[in-house]
Amino acid sequence: MDFGFTEENVNNNIPEVILCKFGEVVLKGANRQNFESALVKELRRRASPFGTFKIYFKQSTVYVEPQDASCDMDGMYEVAKKVFGIVAVNRAAVCEKSMEAILETAEKYLPEKLRGKHTFKVEGKRSDKKFPYKSPEISARVGGVILSAVRGIRVDVKNPDVVVGVEVRDDFAYIRAGQEAGAGGLPLRSSGKGLLLLSGGIDSPVAGLMMAKRGMEIEALHFESFPYTSERAREKVLTLAQEMTEYCARLHVHVISLTHIQEVLRDNCTEDYFTLLLRVFMMRLAERCAREYRCGALITGESLGQVASQTLAALAVTDGQVNIPVFRPCIGLDKEEIVKKARAYGTFETAILPYEDCCTVFTPRHPKTQPRLEDVMAELKKVDFDSLIEEAYSSMYTVTKLVYEGYR
Ligand code: ATP
Ligand code: MG
């Protein structure tokens, strides 16, 4: 039998593949084909460090088949869980489409996978309706094999420790013990590009990845205030950006210096407005960067009421400064919820390293929480806004594109 790959590659000589199930993508009518090929491409781009795999789409599933014995299935499986657009991932044994082969494979493949589990149920599924056994019969027969091969295990159809899936598809049958959630969302680059205002904090990397999950390609802009912010603070941001690439695959980081703007604000404006005024500059510079790099939206890590510059009144002021959609996916999340996401995305530990951010330089003792637009505008009139923007924007430099390890 030809599975398209050699048999020695797997435990017990049973060919094994990784199956990645589509999520929401299934619903997208006309766009569906684009999404499918985006997902296949994304998996292919990430596969090279783990060996040679055949990756293709069929029956709402991406099949990832190892081509030789040296393939790192564990590594490939872990990486597949980070690909947006995939709702569930599992490893499955592959066998011929006969009841005999299914039972024999189940007997060899499943006991090791079910070790230590107390209860299970089998979900048989016959996608190929020409297969002579119906789903309940497949489930019952495979269940019988498990009961005699795994000592002490019981059936529990309501709340099993493991769901064993047996699926008879067009070409082969697939047997798996359990599956894990994938990253969900939509495939990268299926929803345009957004410019993330990336600080060194907990919130902005999460915000960027939440939008990447909705299919956005991410570009990042970081503001520094050298020498008030240090070299190490910049390194920290680049580390965060590199960590983000595990999910968003690649990322340009643009850096703009706010040093002069901050000094001018400090020398000319009312202290209570410093942070807010700085944020106005940030938004305007970000808008310009977004236009230059063809980003259709700005993304920030703001969360309503979290700090003085994130009250409704303050957000209304900064929002009004730009003519581009501003996405704030963390806006309705509590800090604990954001932290939980940061941990899941793997950015938390770096984000809590204690380096200063430009927002923490010259912080007002009593920042305005209920700013009035007229007052902010009056403060801005005290400085030469346009030339400050011009000067800061011309300081922009771009860090070489950061790419996920092995990404092609
Ligand atoms: P974070 O945890 O993301 O730093 P925060 O709660 O500290 O957020 P602020 O410092 O007020 O909040 O920043 C709000 C948002 O403004 C950030 O989430 C980020 O999108 C943007 N921002 C703040 N500082 C910078 C910076 N130095 N460079 C780029 N963007 C920034
Ligand atoms: Mg911050």
Side-chain angles (χ1 to χ4, degrees), residues 197-199 201-204 223 279 300-301 306 310 357-359:
L197 283 78
L198 179 63
S199 70
I202 298 170
D203 308 336
S204 45
F223 297 104
R279 296 205 61 78
T300 80
Q306 197 188 76
Q310 295 174 26
D357 180 58
C358 64
C359 292

Side-chain angles (χ1 to χ4, degrees), residues 74-91:
D74 293 342
M76 189 63 218
Y77 180 76
E78 286 308 310
V79 113
K81 286 199 285 188
K82 293 177 178 164
V83 174
F84 290 128
I86 291 171
V87 274
V89 194
N90 66 64
R91 285 170 74 150

